[in-house]
Amino acid sequence: MTNRAFNDAFLKACRKEAVPHVPVWYMRQAGRYQPEYRAIRQQYSFFEINENPEVCAQVTRLPVEQLGVDAAILFADIMTPIKTIGVDVRIVEGKGPVISNPVRALADVKRLGDLAPERDLPYIRETIRLLREQLSVPLIGFAGAPFTLASYLIEGGPSKDYHKTKGFMYSRPQEWQALMDKLAAVTIAYLSWQIEAGAQAVQVFDSWVGSVASDDYEKYIAPTMMNIFAEIRKTGVPTIYFGSGTAHLLKIWNQLPVDVLSVDWRISIDEVRELGIDKALQGNLDPSMLLAPWEALIEKVKAIVDQGKKKPGYIFNLGHGVFPEADAAVLKRLTDWIHEYTKAEAVKERVES
Ligand code: 1CP
């Protein structure tokens, strides 16, 4: 199992080194669009998969084996560590994480426990150990960012407008900071645990932070993110920061001690670089394009990849996660196309020079 050549294109791109081809992976690459995943979910609940290392490793490997992507991402949820600090989280079909005891006051923040990974998350270490034996691509660990975690804790589930979350932030800044500090400690402990266990890169998902104005982000959120990335940087493992609708935050993100910025389709890769962003970039196909005819999809993907590969440090991904209606065959064909297209380019450049 371990004698296959290790494909390190993804790690090289995170470090802005030369790559043999543009590396590809997809956020939410393991999930309901796969018949195999749906079959496993018939037998186990979401958290049962998460807590069973053999099954969790199998689900994590599914997209690597089927799509030929250049990285695996640990199968878990951003609420995985939250479940262990005294919050009653369930994953509700067709909806997402739902919480029966939302955080709405300082007393609620105070009742949140501390994360002790050795005690609370031993199965994560075992899953990562198994995956490092089984995989020949890097394994990405991940965690939710404090704002995005807080949005579920405060709203009690998914939201479209985050009024309660931002209302709490604006009206009780000290309590907000106490919550950010608590969640930052959880995030740091959880990411460190995954890295210790063998995760070779980590992504911090701040899916909903794009709903915050840039001056408010600087005031209420940036110090917390600075703290998290500064801590994780000490491990030497590459870090990725993802959000959706965050074009207005990128200049602030460029100041954070993070290696890769993951952007969505609302801004082009060229436009990101024109802002003066000099970090490695990941993205940014609109996931809805997966439903477009192949020719239209490839025209768009070619434009994205042509922009991305102008500079070292580019990883192809979607601008947000794969969704249940997506077709695995399209994702496979897309992965192969990008590999072939960017490999050919590298060869051509060598011949011409
Ligand atoms: O019933 C099921 O099978 C649940 C569907 C599902 C899956 C497959 C959920 C519930 N979570 C996951 C896995 C998951 N979640 C991964 C797996 C690794 C991968 O293959 O990529 C990851 C990275 C996440 C992270 C996650 N969960 C995020 C950040 C990324 C994003 O999509 O923005 C968020 C916001 C969540 C919350 C969540 N968990 C599940 C759902 C349906 C949602 C979204 C709900 C919402 O819209 O608020």
Side-chain angles (χ1 to χ4, degrees):
M1 278 257 206
T2 48
N3 55 6
R4 284 161 303 171
F6 184 74
N7 167 3
D8 64 353
F10 165 79
L11 292 174
K12 286 196 159 120
C14 290
R15 299 193 190 103
K16 299 211 272 185
E17 293 168 9
V19 287
H21 57 264
V22 165
V24 179
W25 71 280
Y26 304 105
M27 287 184 270
R28 299 281 198 97
Q29 63 191 13
R32 293 200 162 270
Y33 77 97
Q34 298 170 299
E36 298 82 358
Y37 176 81
R38 292 198 299 270
I40 294 170
R41 276 285 272 117
Q42 297 272 304
Q43 273 185 279
Y44 304 98
S45 74
F46 183 90
F47 287 117
E48 280 168 359
I49 299 177
N50 206 189
E51 291 164 20
N52 179 335
E54 304 275 337
V55 181
C56 191
Q58 183 195 351
V59 171
T60 302
R61 287 196 320 272
L62 271 178
V64 179
E65 288 158 4
Q66 288 183 344
L67 310 178
V69 286
D70 297 276
I73 180 160
L74 176 71
F75 185 83
D77 192 71
I78 55 168
M79 302 310 280
T80 294
I82 298 303
K83 216 175 146 256
T84 72
I85 60 166
V87 179
D88 176 32
V89 189
R90 277 174 310 123
I91 301 284
V92 175
E93 176 129 20
K95 195 167 176 196
V98 173
I99 283 148
S100 64
N101 50 345
V103 171
R104 302 266 163 87
L106 188 59
D108 301 323
V109 177
K110 287 192 168 150
R111 85 176 144 69
L112 299 175
D114 293 322
L115 182 71
E118 186 92 51
R119 177 193 67 202
D120 301 328
L121 299 168
Y123 51 87
I124 294 285
R125 177 174 53 196
E126 180 56 13
T127 305
I128 293 176
R129 190 191 67 75
L130 285 173
L131 283 166
R132 283 298 304 274
E133 279 178 12
Q134 297 164 344
L135 289 168
S136 55
V137 294
L139 176 66
I140 305 169
F142 76 92
F147 177 87
T148 293
L149 294 174
S151 79
Y152 289 99
L153 289 176
I154 295 170
E155 308 284 341
S159 167
K160 284 202 165 66
D161 46 39
Y162 315 101
H163 287 322
K164 291 192 186 74
T165 308
K166 291 192 281 177
F168 187 93
M169 180 174 92
Y170 291 129
S171 53
R172 306 190 207 174
Q174 285 179 334
E175 294 174 36
W176 173 259
Q177 195 52 52
L179 179 59
M180 289 295 98
D181 290 346
K182 167 63 80 177
L183 295 173
V186 170
T187 298
I188 291 167
Y190 184 45
L191 291 175
S192 303
W193 179 243
Q194 294 175 64
I195 291 167
E196 240 181 273
Q200 289 148 295
V202 289
Q203 176 155 320
V204 178
F205 284 92
D206 214 348
S207 309
W208 314 130
V209 80
S211 64
V212 176
S214 54
D215 56 343
D216 292 327
Y217 180 91
E218 268 195 292
K219 184 169 167 187
Y220 296 103
I221 298 161
T224 302
M225 299 314 298
M226 185 65 92
N227 172 19
I228 291 172
F229 287 118
E231 275 307 309
I232 302 304
R233 177 150 279 185
K234 294 178 189 163
T235 66
V237 157
T239 51
I240 310 171
Y241 190 23
F242 162 78
S244 65
T246 52
H248 61 300
L249 303 177
L250 293 176
K251 283 188 173 170
I252 307 172
W253 283 18
N254 202 43
Q255 309 296 316
L256 296 172
V258 60
D259 300 302
V260 185
L261 301 184
S262 191
V263 295
D264 81 3
W265 59 93
R266 294 172 179 91
I267 185 166
S268 71
I269 302 290
D270 275 352
E271 286 169 326
V272 173
R273 293 203 180 113
E274 279 157 20
L275 291 173
I277 307 301
D278 54 9
K279 299 205 187 275
L281 296 176
Q282 174 175 277
N284 67 343
L285 180 73
D286 181 345
S288 308
M289 284 293 307
L290 296 173
L291 301 178
W294 177 252
E295 287 67 30
L297 169 62
I298 280 307
E299 191 183 322
K300 181 65 114 184
V301 169
K302 184 173 179 302
I304 293 172
V305 172
D306 283 341
Q307 292 181 26
K309 68 185 173 59
K310 280 185 206 163
K311 291 200 168 171
Y314 172 66
I315 299 154
F316 183 86
N317 205 316
L318 306 177
H320 207 153
V322 181
F323 53 98
E325 295 77 17
D327 180 348
V330 172
L331 285 167
K332 159 87 176 122
R333 194 173 171 199
L334 180 58
T335 312
D336 290 345
W337 188 91
I338 295 166
H339 284 161
E340 206 45 49
Y341 176 64
T342 56
K343 200 162 62 190
E345 287 283 316
V347 171
K348 205 174 96 208
E349 276 165 24
R350 275 202 299 278
V351 171
E352 282 172 0
S353 62

